[in-house]
Amino acid sequence: MHATQTPYAQNPLRALLLLACRTVLGVVFIAHGWSKFTDPTIQATIKQFAAWKVPFPDLTAPLVGALEVLGGACLVLGAYTWVVCVLLSLEMAGAIWFIHRHNGLLVGRGGWEYCASLIAGLISLSIASAGKFSYDAWANGPEEPSGRSRSRRR
């Protein structure tokens, strides 16, 4: 290891950094999900989904909005983090496929970079875990440094 690197598990700021990452991602998803219901209405979102040719817009628009609000809240709390990260990543992959893929990379042109950045953050968070300041840590106990679960110990 290089002299300037701190081992990841021993980083004293790790829990705070994971909390900050979860909070930023969670608030972004909450804001986007909430706007699907209120900016201006869910009916307008359904019409937009239909115009984008998203399958079953009457069903998918409210489901996507609910997933973003509830999933974002779970991220902020650090609850069910791995599952929420997978679900939101799949949703963002769907957004890239149905809405952004033909518009190039740049978000200013309707491109896919924003969704891809969210996916990268979600995957990173799912790999790193929710951290010490989370519901997951409270419910499951502290992380094992060796990576082995406590249930395997005798």
Side-chain angles (χ1 to χ4, degrees):
M1 179 171 10
H2 193 271
T4 59
Q5 292 177 323
T6 302
Y8 178 71
Q10 297 172 8
N11 186 336
L13 296 176
R14 178 178 188 263
L16 289 174
L17 293 171
L18 288 169
L19 173 63
C21 290
R22 285 193 345 257
T23 301
V24 168
L25 282 171
V27 168
V28 166
F29 276 105
I30 291 168
H32 280 267
W34 189 255
S35 73
K36 286 174 177 58
F37 293 104
T38 62
D39 189 19
T41 65
I42 190 63
Q43 292 304 319
T45 303
I46 290 169
K47 287 180 184 176
Q48 186 61 61
F49 273 44
W52 285 327
K53 298 185 181 1
V54 176
F56 311 108
D58 292 333
L59 178 65
T60 54
L63 282 177
V64 164
L67 175 60
E68 289 177 352
V69 171
L70 296 174
C74 284
L75 288 177
V76 171
L77 297 171
Y80 311 102
T81 305
W82 187 86
V83 172
V84 169
C85 287
V86 168
L87 292 173
L88 289 171
S89 292
L90 290 171
E91 181 213 334
M92 288 294 98
I96 290 171
W97 181 260
F98 288 108
I99 301 163
H100 301 286
R101 68 185 167 124
H102 298 297
N103 300 326
L105 174 67
L106 300 177
V107 71
R109 296 182 178 139
W112 50 267
E113 71 174 307
Y114 179 68
C115 294
S117 297
L118 289 174
I119 291 170
L122 290 164
I123 290 171
S124 298
L125 186 57
S126 70
I127 292 168
S129 85
K132 183 167 63 172
F133 304 129
S134 67
Y135 170 82
D136 289 347
W138 174 79
N140 299 320
E143 295 174 327
E144 295 292 322
S146 67
R148 295 186 339 200
S149 74
R150 289 177 286 143
S151 63
R152 292 185 193 160
R153 287 188 176 173
R154 298 191 189 215

